[in-house]
Amino acid sequence: MKIVSASEMRQIDGLTSERFGVPSITLMENAGAAVSDFVLTRYPQAKTVGIVCGKGNNGGDGLVVARKLQQAGREVRLLLLAEPAELRGDAAEMFQRLPLKPVIASSSQHLNSREAGSVFAADLLIDAILGTGFRPPVSELYGAAIAALNASRAPVVALDIPSGADADGAEEQTGIIGRADAIVTFTAPRRAHVFWELSSGPVRIAPIGSPDDAVLSSLNLHLITAHDIAPLFKPRPRNANKGSFGHVLALGGSLGKAGSVAMAGIAALRSGAGLATVATPKSVLATVAGFHPELMTEPLPETDAGSIALQAKNQVAELAKNKTVLAIGPGISRHPETSQMVRDAVNNQVQPIVLDADGLNAFEGRAKELNGKGRWLVITPHPGEMARLLGSTVAEVQRDRIGAARNFSREHELIVVLKGHRTLIARPSGEVWVNTTGNPGMATGGTGDILTGMVAGLMAQMPSRIFAAVMAAVYLHGLAGDVACETTGEQSLLATDLVDAMPEGFRRVRQAAQRDFVEIGGQP
């Protein structure tokens, strides 16, 4: 799903009407219906609904919501922040269709009236004051109405975006901004919907009639959704066997870090790979094999420190010959000899490779040697590893995560999965995909190793759809974390909880793909 700017959203609405023949008033009617459906589903106990409308199109959408909710049997209390004569176009037409009399407030003093106070005392409030086309400053009247919304104890559903917020996602938000417990926006998300915490609850992106051909954007940013990845998980052929779904070779582990590569291996299997072999120093092989009986293992020569020795490179090359994907790095250590072995493996193997953890650190100061031209190379750095590859700082990476991922992907012709809040997936074409699943409980040791295994496992199953497999792995990884967190809470979540939660994650992806809307922050 494309992420668009506020100005592009206006162009999309115009194109929908002008080229594709969908009247603008139909778009407004559909938007209001989408919000009404959301309210009726999410807030069934709210008997009274207060709707605060501005005089623009956002307010026009709110007028439709008022009509729809009253028709559904709710008690609607409507506050219009303008004289009816000030309404124009579709908003004026929707006012004429109202089956109820609104409270009119044309100045901030009018908000102190008993009638206006009854609107803000409703069980649920809907913010339809300002939409994504807003440009500061907020007027005195609108600012007072937003302040009254914020002071209310009732939950607030923002129509399109919380009033006063910058839809294009400026880092420094100025002026008053409405609070929101949920947001319903339309057609495509804007940057603020994806990157900023505008709502304490879900952000629903509802279709209202714009065809895909009308949704144009120059941002080269996309949101990963269940609709994108569910088609990858069709029922398997009845005559399938373990050789049908790829064989992952996980290369890693060292003394004291055997669990990392074991987790990567079992994550590859749990995500659907037919086979997984872990190649690890011989002194830790028994530990790795003891984690999961489903894993196959191969002992490798080791250094005095218990990491993989450089002399293992020929054995690694032989092991890799019949493998579908290589996952290199979990627990592998930063021993100089091991780092040289990693560089040799990455640069000399032709199979798709997923490179993570100290496998990435092996290229610190030598990033020019890291290139995916003519093959599939996926790197999965956290901000610290990305900073080491770039020779910069974590703060610099975090200041422009999109630029860091996009530029490195282009320059090195590989796929970058830059982990963190809103994990990014960049490809050499310049496209960047944003993931919104996951939670802070996943900030614990081992979750990155699980991701490495999932990426490798899904790549092994989909050799002709590698990039889609990477997207699916990142989305499912975060979703498994969300599923696990429902039981464990954030503090108690362990990396291996994600492995147990994967089956439910797959089920939820299939379920969410059957809906005609997308939600960020809600249960997929």
Side-chain angles (χ1 to χ4, degrees):
M1 174 177 278
K2 291 177 182 175
I3 300 170
V4 304
S5 68
S7 62
E8 287 170 339
M9 192 67 246
R10 289 192 294 274
Q11 293 169 4
I12 291 165
D13 287 342
L15 191 62
T16 298
S17 297
E18 294 162 14
R19 183 178 298 179
F20 297 96
V22 181
S24 60
I25 200 163
T26 299
L27 297 178
M28 184 173 284
E29 184 76 18
N30 292 344
V35 177
S36 175
D37 290 344
F38 178 85
V39 168
L40 293 170
T41 302
R42 291 295 181 112
Y43 299 96
Q45 303 305 317
K47 302 304 181 185
T48 58
V49 181
I51 304 177
V52 186
C53 294
K55 65 181 180 180
N57 284 339
N58 195 252
D61 294 342
L63 297 176
V64 178
V65 179
R67 171 162 44 87
K68 297 283 186 182
L69 289 179
Q70 187 175 74
Q71 291 170 348
R74 300 296 176 91
E75 180 187 334
V76 176
R77 302 170 184 176
L78 177 62
L79 176 63
L80 180 61
L81 303 175
E83 293 293 341
E86 297 180 69
L87 301 178
R88 297 289 182 269
D90 295 337
E93 173 61 27
M94 293 307 182
F95 183 80
Q96 295 301 318
R97 299 182 186 183
L98 274 178
L100 70 158
K101 184 179 180 180
V103 177
I104 304 298
S106 56
S107 71
S108 56
Q109 288 76 20
H110 294 156
L111 296 178
N112 297 322
S113 69
R114 181 175 57 83
E115 292 81 7
S118 71
V119 175
F120 294 104
D123 299 332
L124 174 71
L125 295 173
I126 295 178
D127 172 4
I129 303 171
L130 293 165
T132 58
F134 160 74
R135 288 294 177 268
V138 177
S139 70
E140 180 185 353
L141 171 59
Y142 283 11
I146 294 169
L149 279 171
N150 290 348
S152 170
R153 295 182 178 181
V156 178
V157 176
L159 200 157
D160 206 18
I161 197 167
S163 289
D166 176 7
D168 289 328
E171 186 169 355
E172 295 295 331
Q173 300 272 350
T174 59
I176 189 167
I177 297 173
R179 70 175 176 88
D181 297 276
I183 299 170
V184 182
T185 190
F186 316 109
T187 306
R190 268 111 292 169
R191 288 175 63 105
H193 292 128
V194 176
F195 292 107
W196 302 106
E197 303 297 334
L198 297 177
S199 169
S200 61
V203 177
R204 177 173 291 191
I205 305 158
I208 59 172
S210 295
D212 290 343
D213 289 346
V215 183
L216 305 175
S217 178
S218 61
L219 298 180
N220 234 356
L221 286 173
H222 305 262
L223 180 70
I224 306 173
T225 73
H227 298 81
D228 297 313
I229 66 173
L232 301 174
F233 307 128
K234 297 177 180 177
R236 291 181 165 186
R238 302 300 296 174
N239 61 348
N241 59 70
K242 61 188 177 184
S244 305
F245 306 111
H247 190 161
V248 173
L249 175 64
L251 182 64
S254 58
L255 191 62
K257 296 180 180 179
S260 298
V261 73
M263 285 190 287
I266 196 62
L269 289 175
R270 181 67 89 182
S271 62
L275 296 164
T277 295
V278 174
T280 196
K282 58 184 178 183
S283 64
V284 301
L285 184 142
T287 303
V288 171
F291 279 111
H292 298 284
E294 297 90 346
L295 290 175
M296 295 182 288
T297 54
E298 288 285 348
L300 297 176
E302 60 187 43
T303 65
D304 291 342
S307 63
I308 301 172
L310 178 59
Q311 71 184 84
K313 64 180 184 179
N314 291 334
Q315 186 178 345
V316 169
E318 190 64 28
L319 286 171
K321 284 182 179 178
N322 65 342
K323 304 302 186 297
T324 316
V325 176
L326 277 60
I328 302 176
I332 209 165
S333 91
R334 300 192 69 177
H335 189 285
E337 190 174 325
T338 307
S339 295
Q340 180 60 57
M341 186 279 304
V342 168
R343 292 191 292 271
D344 286 351
V346 170
N347 291 325
N348 293 322
Q349 302 305 319
V350 297
Q351 294 92 339
I353 293 174
V354 184
L355 187 64
D356 183 37
D358 282 335
L360 289 167
N361 291 327
F363 288 88
E364 181 178 1
R366 314 177 69 138
K368 290 183 178 179
E369 299 177 28
L370 198 57
N371 193 280
K373 185 175 182 179
R375 59 177 177 151
W376 289 104
L377 177 58
V378 180
I379 66 171
T380 59
H382 59 53
E385 292 158 350
M386 191 80 241
R388 285 190 281 275
L389 288 175
L390 291 171
S392 65
T393 65
V394 171
E396 289 171 333
V397 170
Q398 294 294 76
R399 194 156 37 244
D400 184 13
R401 284 170 54 81
I402 293 172
R406 177 179 277 156
N407 293 336
F408 197 90
S409 176
R410 280 173 168 163
E411 292 170 11
H412 296 265
E413 300 183 76
L414 45 74
I415 297 172
V416 175
V417 177
L418 180 55
K419 295 182 289 196
H421 179 59
R422 300 300 189 245
T423 291
L424 305 174
I425 309 174
R427 62 191 309 176
S429 65
E431 286 184 311
V432 177
W433 292 73
V434 186
N435 182 58
T436 59
T437 60
N439 62 81
M442 296 170 68
T444 186
T447 55
D449 304 314
I450 298 294
L451 176 61
T452 298
M454 292 179 70
V455 172
L458 287 170
M459 286 170 58
Q461 296 168 73
M462 307 167 192
S464 64
R465 303 196 65 183
I466 293 291
F467 188 77
V470 176
M471 286 200 310
V474 171
Y475 185 93
L476 279 164
H477 177 258
L479 181 53
D482 291 339
V483 171
C485 191
E486 292 170 9
T487 302
T488 67
E490 292 180 353
Q491 285 76 18
S492 298
L493 193 148
L494 299 176
T496 48
D497 293 331
L498 273 64
V499 176
D500 296 333
M502 264 190 247
E504 174 62 10
F506 279 106
R507 189 195 69 79
R508 291 192 188 183
V509 166
R510 297 186 183 98
Q511 182 183 55
Q514 296 174 7
R515 304 168 184 155
D516 65 352
F517 58 81
V518 169
E519 280 193 359
I520 302 170
Q523 185 188 95

PDB file of all heavy atoms in Angstrom, residues 454-481:
ATOM      1  N   MET A 454      13.577 -16.503  10.177  1.00  0.00           N
ATOM      2  CA  MET A 454      12.320 -16.372   9.444  1.00  0.00           C
ATOM      3  C   MET A 454      12.559 -15.866   8.027  1.00  0.00           C
ATOM      4  O   MET A 454      11.950 -16.351   7.066  1.00  0.00           O
ATOM      5  CB  MET A 454      11.376 -15.442  10.197  1.00  0.00           C
ATOM      6  CG  MET A 454      10.869 -15.985  11.517  1.00  0.00           C
ATOM      7  SD  MET A 454       9.771 -14.828  12.389  1.00  0.00           S
ATOM      8  CE  MET A 454       8.324 -14.865  11.317  1.00  0.00           C
ATOM      9  N   VAL A 455      13.436 -14.865   7.891  1.00  0.00           N
ATOM     10  CA  VAL A 455      13.747 -14.356   6.552  1.00  0.00           C
ATOM     11  C   VAL A 455      14.332 -15.476   5.686  1.00  0.00           C
ATOM     12  O   VAL A 455      13.896 -15.695   4.553  1.00  0.00           O
ATOM     13  CB  VAL A 455      14.719 -13.163   6.638  1.00  0.00           C
ATOM     14  CG1 VAL A 455      15.192 -12.761   5.242  1.00  0.00           C
ATOM     15  CG2 VAL A 455      14.067 -11.976   7.324  1.00  0.00           C
ATOM     16  N   ALA A 456      15.279 -16.204   6.234  1.00  0.00           N
ATOM     17  CA  ALA A 456      15.893 -17.296   5.473  1.00  0.00           C
ATOM     18  C   ALA A 456      14.882 -18.393   5.165  1.00  0.00           C
ATOM     19  O   ALA A 456      14.845 -18.931   4.054  1.00  0.00           O
ATOM     20  CB  ALA A 456      17.076 -17.864   6.259  1.00  0.00           C
ATOM     21  N   GLY A 457      14.042 -18.725   6.143  1.00  0.00           N
ATOM     22  CA  GLY A 457      13.064 -19.797   5.946  1.00  0.00           C
ATOM     23  C   GLY A 457      12.054 -19.470   4.870  1.00  0.00           C
ATOM     24  O   GLY A 457      11.699 -20.327   4.046  1.00  0.00           O
ATOM     25  N   LEU A 458      11.558 -18.234   4.850  1.00  0.00           N
ATOM     26  CA  LEU A 458      10.588 -17.858   3.820  1.00  0.00           C
ATOM     27  C   LEU A 458      11.256 -17.679   2.458  1.00  0.00           C
ATOM     28  O   LEU A 458      10.669 -18.020   1.425  1.00  0.00           O
ATOM     29  CB  LEU A 458       9.851 -16.586   4.245  1.00  0.00           C
ATOM     30  CG  LEU A 458       8.840 -16.816   5.366  1.00  0.00           C
ATOM     31  CD1 LEU A 458       8.319 -15.499   5.918  1.00  0.00           C
ATOM     32  CD2 LEU A 458       7.669 -17.668   4.897  1.00  0.00           C
ATOM     33  N   MET A 459      12.479 -17.171   2.444  1.00  0.00           N
ATOM     34  CA  MET A 459      13.213 -17.092   1.166  1.00  0.00           C
ATOM     35  C   MET A 459      13.427 -18.482   0.571  1.00  0.00           C
ATOM     36  O   MET A 459      13.332 -18.677  -0.650  1.00  0.00           O
ATOM     37  CB  MET A 459      14.559 -16.400   1.378  1.00  0.00           C
ATOM     38  CG  MET A 459      14.468 -14.895   1.580  1.00  0.00           C
ATOM     39  SD  MET A 459      16.035 -14.133   2.113  1.00  0.00           S
ATOM     40  CE  MET A 459      17.153 -14.606   0.775  1.00  0.00           C
ATOM     41  N   ALA A 460      13.712 -19.458   1.426  1.00  0.00           N
ATOM     42  CA  ALA A 460      13.946 -20.818   0.947  1.00  0.00           C
ATOM     43  C   ALA A 460      12.711 -21.409   0.286  1.00  0.00           C
ATOM     44  O   ALA A 460      12.799 -22.187  -0.660  1.00  0.00           O
ATOM     45  CB  ALA A 460      14.395 -21.706   2.105  1.00  0.00           C
ATOM     46  N   GLN A 461      11.530 -21.010   0.772  1.00  0.00           N
ATOM     47  CA  GLN A 461      10.279 -21.519   0.208  1.00  0.00           C
ATOM     48  C   GLN A 461       9.858 -20.797  -1.057  1.00  0.00           C
ATOM     49  O   GLN A 461       9.051 -21.319  -1.831  1.00  0.00           O
ATOM     50  CB  GLN A 461       9.159 -21.376   1.239  1.00  0.00           C
ATOM     51  CG  GLN A 461       9.356 -22.204   2.499  1.00  0.00           C
ATOM     52  CD  GLN A 461       8.383 -21.777   3.572  1.00  0.00           C
ATOM     53  OE1 GLN A 461       7.187 -22.055   3.489  1.00  0.00           O
ATOM     54  NE2 GLN A 461       8.882 -21.108   4.597  1.00  0.00           N
ATOM     55  N   MET A 462      10.367 -19.587  -1.263  1.00  0.00           N
ATOM     56  CA  MET A 462       9.898 -18.728  -2.356  1.00  0.00           C
ATOM     57  C   MET A 462      11.071 -18.195  -3.167  1.00  0.00           C
ATOM     58  O   MET A 462      11.281 -16.978  -3.243  1.00  0.00           O
ATOM     59  CB  MET A 462       9.077 -17.568  -1.783  1.00  0.00           C
ATOM     60  CG  MET A 462       7.967 -18.004  -0.864  1.00  0.00           C
ATOM     61  SD  MET A 462       7.271 -16.608   0.068  1.00  0.00           S
ATOM     62  CE  MET A 462       6.290 -17.505   1.295  1.00  0.00           C
ATOM     63  N   PRO A 463      11.862 -19.065  -3.772  1.00  0.00           N
ATOM     64  CA  PRO A 463      13.065 -18.596  -4.473  1.00  0.00           C
ATOM     65  C   PRO A 463      12.784 -17.657  -5.633  1.00  0.00           C
ATOM     66  O   PRO A 463      13.674 -16.901  -6.040  1.00  0.00           O
ATOM     67  CB  PRO A 463      13.718 -19.901  -4.952  1.00  0.00           C
ATOM     68  CG  PRO A 463      12.607 -20.907  -4.972  1.00  0.00           C
ATOM     69  CD  PRO A 463      11.703 -20.522  -3.854  1.00  0.00           C
ATOM     70  N   SER A 464      11.571 -17.675  -6.158  1.00  0.00           N
ATOM     71  CA  SER A 464      11.243 -16.766  -7.261  1.00  0.00           C
ATOM     72  C   SER A 464      10.592 -15.474  -6.769  1.00  0.00           C
ATOM     73  O   SER A 464      10.297 -14.584  -7.574  1.00  0.00           O
ATOM     74  CB  SER A 464      10.301 -17.458  -8.252  1.00  0.00           C
ATOM     75  OG  SER A 464       9.061 -17.771  -7.633  1.00  0.00           O
ATOM     76  N   ARG A 465      10.392 -15.353  -5.448  1.00  0.00           N
ATOM     77  CA  ARG A 465       9.748 -14.151  -4.891  1.00  0.00           C
ATOM     78  C   ARG A 465      10.495 -13.723  -3.626  1.00  0.00           C
ATOM     79  O   ARG A 465       9.924 -13.591  -2.549  1.00  0.00           O
ATOM     80  CB  ARG A 465       8.266 -14.412  -4.591  1.00  0.00           C
ATOM     81  CG  ARG A 465       7.463 -14.884  -5.793  1.00  0.00           C
ATOM     82  CD  ARG A 465       5.981 -14.761  -5.555  1.00  0.00           C
ATOM     83  NE  ARG A 465       5.583 -13.348  -5.397  1.00  0.00           N
ATOM     84  CZ  ARG A 465       4.335 -12.968  -5.120  1.00  0.00           C
ATOM     85  NH1 ARG A 465       3.382 -13.887  -4.967  1.00  0.00           N
ATOM     86  NH2 ARG A 465       4.032 -11.694  -4.983  1.00  0.00           N
ATOM     87  N   ILE A 466      11.783 -13.492  -3.790  1.00  0.00           N
ATOM     88  CA  ILE A 466      12.635 -13.237  -2.643  1.00  0.00           C
ATOM     89  C   ILE A 466      12.229 -11.981  -1.886  1.00  0.00           C
ATOM     90  O   ILE A 466      12.112 -11.988  -0.652  1.00  0.00           O
ATOM     91  CB  ILE A 466      14.117 -13.139  -3.081  1.00  0.00           C
ATOM     92  CG1 ILE A 466      14.616 -14.503  -3.578  1.00  0.00           C
ATOM     93  CG2 ILE A 466      14.992 -12.634  -1.939  1.00  0.00           C
ATOM     94  CD1 ILE A 466      14.750 -15.555  -2.511  1.00  0.00           C
ATOM     95  N   PHE A 467      12.011 -10.877  -2.595  1.00  0.00           N
ATOM     96  CA  PHE A 467      11.692  -9.641  -1.877  1.00  0.00           C
ATOM     97  C   PHE A 467      10.370  -9.769  -1.135  1.00  0.00           C
ATOM     98  O   PHE A 467      10.240  -9.311   0.010  1.00  0.00           O
ATOM     99  CB  PHE A 467      11.650  -8.445  -2.829  1.00  0.00           C
ATOM    100  CG  PHE A 467      11.522  -7.132  -2.108  1.00  0.00           C
ATOM    101  CD1 PHE A 467      12.615  -6.563  -1.488  1.00  0.00           C
ATOM    102  CD2 PHE A 467      10.299  -6.480  -2.023  1.00  0.00           C
ATOM    103  CE1 PHE A 467      12.507  -5.355  -0.790  1.00  0.00           C
ATOM    104  CE2 PHE A 467      10.173  -5.278  -1.327  1.00  0.00           C
ATOM    105  CZ  PHE A 467      11.282  -4.715  -0.718  1.00  0.00           C
ATOM    106  N   ALA A 468       9.390 -10.390  -1.761  1.00  0.00           N
ATOM    107  CA  ALA A 468       8.107 -10.607  -1.086  1.00  0.00           C
ATOM    108  C   ALA A 468       8.296 -11.472   0.156  1.00  0.00           C
ATOM    109  O   ALA A 468       7.644 -11.254   1.190  1.00  0.00           O
ATOM    110  CB  ALA A 468       7.109 -11.256  -2.046  1.00  0.00           C
ATOM    111  N   ALA A 469       9.182 -12.450   0.077  1.00  0.00           N
ATOM    112  CA  ALA A 469       9.455 -13.310   1.228  1.00  0.00           C
ATOM    113  C   ALA A 469      10.063 -12.515   2.376  1.00  0.00           C
ATOM    114  O   ALA A 469       9.729 -12.728   3.547  1.00  0.00           O
ATOM    115  CB  ALA A 469      10.393 -14.450   0.821  1.00  0.00           C
ATOM    116  N   VAL A 470      10.952 -11.578   2.054  1.00  0.00           N
ATOM    117  CA  VAL A 470      11.561 -10.744   3.092  1.00  0.00           C
ATOM    118  C   VAL A 470      10.488  -9.885   3.763  1.00  0.00           C
ATOM    119  O   VAL A 470      10.429  -9.774   4.994  1.00  0.00           O
ATOM    120  CB  VAL A 470      12.677  -9.863   2.492  1.00  0.00           C
ATOM    121  CG1 VAL A 470      13.237  -8.919   3.562  1.00  0.00           C
ATOM    122  CG2 VAL A 470      13.794 -10.731   1.931  1.00  0.00           C
ATOM    123  N   MET A 471       9.627  -9.263   2.956  1.00  0.00           N
ATOM    124  CA  MET A 471       8.533  -8.462   3.519  1.00  0.00           C
ATOM    125  C   MET A 471       7.657  -9.306   4.436  1.00  0.00           C
ATOM    126  O   MET A 471       7.283  -8.876   5.529  1.00  0.00           O
ATOM    127  CB  MET A 471       7.669  -7.874   2.405  1.00  0.00           C
ATOM    128  CG  MET A 471       8.275  -6.728   1.659  1.00  0.00           C
ATOM    129  SD  MET A 471       7.006  -5.745   0.805  1.00  0.00           S
ATOM    130  CE  MET A 471       6.075  -6.993  -0.055  1.00  0.00           C
ATOM    131  N   ALA A 472       7.313 -10.494   3.983  1.00  0.00           N
ATOM    132  CA  ALA A 472       6.440 -11.365   4.767  1.00  0.00           C
ATOM    133  C   ALA A 472       7.092 -11.744   6.089  1.00  0.00           C
ATOM    134  O   ALA A 472       6.438 -11.765   7.135  1.00  0.00           O
ATOM    135  CB  ALA A 472       6.102 -12.619   3.961  1.00  0.00           C
ATOM    136  N   ALA A 473       8.386 -12.020   6.048  1.00  0.00           N
ATOM    137  CA  ALA A 473       9.090 -12.409   7.274  1.00  0.00           C
ATOM    138  C   ALA A 473       9.098 -11.272   8.285  1.00  0.00           C
ATOM    139  O   ALA A 473       8.853 -11.488   9.483  1.00  0.00           O
ATOM    140  CB  ALA A 473      10.517 -12.829   6.934  1.00  0.00           C
ATOM    141  N   VAL A 474       9.362 -10.064   7.826  1.00  0.00           N
ATOM    142  CA  VAL A 474       9.401  -8.917   8.743  1.00  0.00           C
ATOM    143  C   VAL A 474       8.025  -8.665   9.349  1.00  0.00           C
ATOM    144  O   VAL A 474       7.892  -8.443  10.562  1.00  0.00           O
ATOM    145  CB  VAL A 474       9.921  -7.671   7.994  1.00  0.00           C
ATOM    146  CG1 VAL A 474       9.774  -6.420   8.853  1.00  0.00           C
ATOM    147  CG2 VAL A 474      11.383  -7.859   7.585  1.00  0.00           C
ATOM    148  N   TYR A 475       6.993  -8.713   8.523  1.00  0.00           N
ATOM    149  CA  TYR A 475       5.630  -8.493   9.016  1.00  0.00           C
ATOM    150  C   TYR A 475       5.240  -9.580  10.023  1.00  0.00           C
ATOM    151  O   TYR A 475       4.722  -9.289  11.107  1.00  0.00           O
ATOM    152  CB  TYR A 475       4.671  -8.492   7.828  1.00  0.00           C
ATOM    153  CG  TYR A 475       3.235  -8.157   8.170  1.00  0.00           C
ATOM    154  CD1 TYR A 475       2.761  -6.850   8.083  1.00  0.00           C
ATOM    155  CD2 TYR A 475       2.337  -9.139   8.574  1.00  0.00           C
ATOM    156  CE1 TYR A 475       1.443  -6.541   8.395  1.00  0.00           C
ATOM    157  CE2 TYR A 475       1.022  -8.840   8.890  1.00  0.00           C
ATOM    158  CZ  TYR A 475       0.577  -7.531   8.792  1.00  0.00           C
ATOM    159  OH  TYR A 475      -0.723  -7.240   9.101  1.00  0.00           O
ATOM    160  N   LEU A 476       5.493 -10.830   9.675  1.00  0.00           N
ATOM    161  CA  LEU A 476       5.121 -11.941  10.558  1.00  0.00           C
ATOM    162  C   LEU A 476       5.930 -11.945  11.849  1.00  0.00           C
ATOM    163  O   LEU A 476       5.416 -12.326  12.909  1.00  0.00           O
ATOM    164  CB  LEU A 476       5.311 -13.264   9.818  1.00  0.00           C
ATOM    165  CG  LEU A 476       4.184 -13.650   8.873  1.00  0.00           C
ATOM    166  CD1 LEU A 476       4.649 -14.739   7.915  1.00  0.00           C
ATOM    167  CD2 LEU A 476       2.966 -14.135   9.650  1.00  0.00           C
ATOM    168  N   HIS A 477       7.171 -11.532  11.764  1.00  0.00           N
ATOM    169  CA  HIS A 477       8.026 -11.460  12.951  1.00  0.00           C
ATOM    170  C   HIS A 477       7.411 -10.498  13.971  1.00  0.00           C
ATOM    171  O   HIS A 477       7.235 -10.837  15.145  1.00  0.00           O
ATOM    172  CB  HIS A 477       9.415 -10.987  12.527  1.00  0.00           C
ATOM    173  CG  HIS A 477      10.391 -10.798  13.644  1.00  0.00           C
ATOM    174  ND1 HIS A 477      10.709  -9.546  14.141  1.00  0.00           N
ATOM    175  CD2 HIS A 477      11.135 -11.687  14.355  1.00  0.00           C
ATOM    176  CE1 HIS A 477      11.603  -9.678  15.103  1.00  0.00           C
ATOM    177  NE2 HIS A 477      11.877 -10.957  15.262  1.00  0.00           N
ATOM    178  N   GLY A 478       7.042  -9.303  13.514  1.00  0.00           N
ATOM    179  CA  GLY A 478       6.409  -8.352  14.415  1.00  0.00           C
ATOM    180  C   GLY A 478       5.062  -8.834  14.902  1.00  0.00           C
ATOM    181  O   GLY A 478       4.697  -8.653  16.075  1.00  0.00           O
ATOM    182  N   LEU A 479       4.298  -9.455  14.009  1.00  0.00           N
ATOM    183  CA  LEU A 479       2.971  -9.954  14.375  1.00  0.00           C
ATOM    184  C   LEU A 479       3.078 -11.069  15.408  1.00  0.00           C
ATOM    185  O   LEU A 479       2.284 -11.132  16.361  1.00  0.00           O
ATOM    186  CB  LEU A 479       2.239 -10.439  13.128  1.00  0.00           C
ATOM    187  CG  LEU A 479       0.823 -10.971  13.325  1.00  0.00           C
ATOM    188  CD1 LEU A 479      -0.050  -9.975  14.063  1.00  0.00           C
ATOM    189  CD2 LEU A 479       0.209 -11.323  11.968  1.00  0.00           C
ATOM    190  N   ALA A 480       4.055 -11.961  15.252  1.00  0.00           N
ATOM    191  CA  ALA A 480       4.272 -13.010  16.255  1.00  0.00           C
ATOM    192  C   ALA A 480       4.611 -12.387  17.602  1.00  0.00           C
ATOM    193  O   ALA A 480       4.160 -12.863  18.660  1.00  0.00           O
ATOM    194  CB  ALA A 480       5.386 -13.954  15.805  1.00  0.00           C
ATOM    195  N   GLY A 481       5.376 -11.286  17.581  1.00  0.00           N
ATOM    196  CA  GLY A 481       5.661 -10.577  18.821  1.00  0.00           C
ATOM    197  C   GLY A 481       4.406 -10.003  19.448  1.00  0.00           C
ATOM    198  O   GLY A 481       4.231 -10.035  20.672  1.00  0.00           O
TER     199      GLY A 481
END
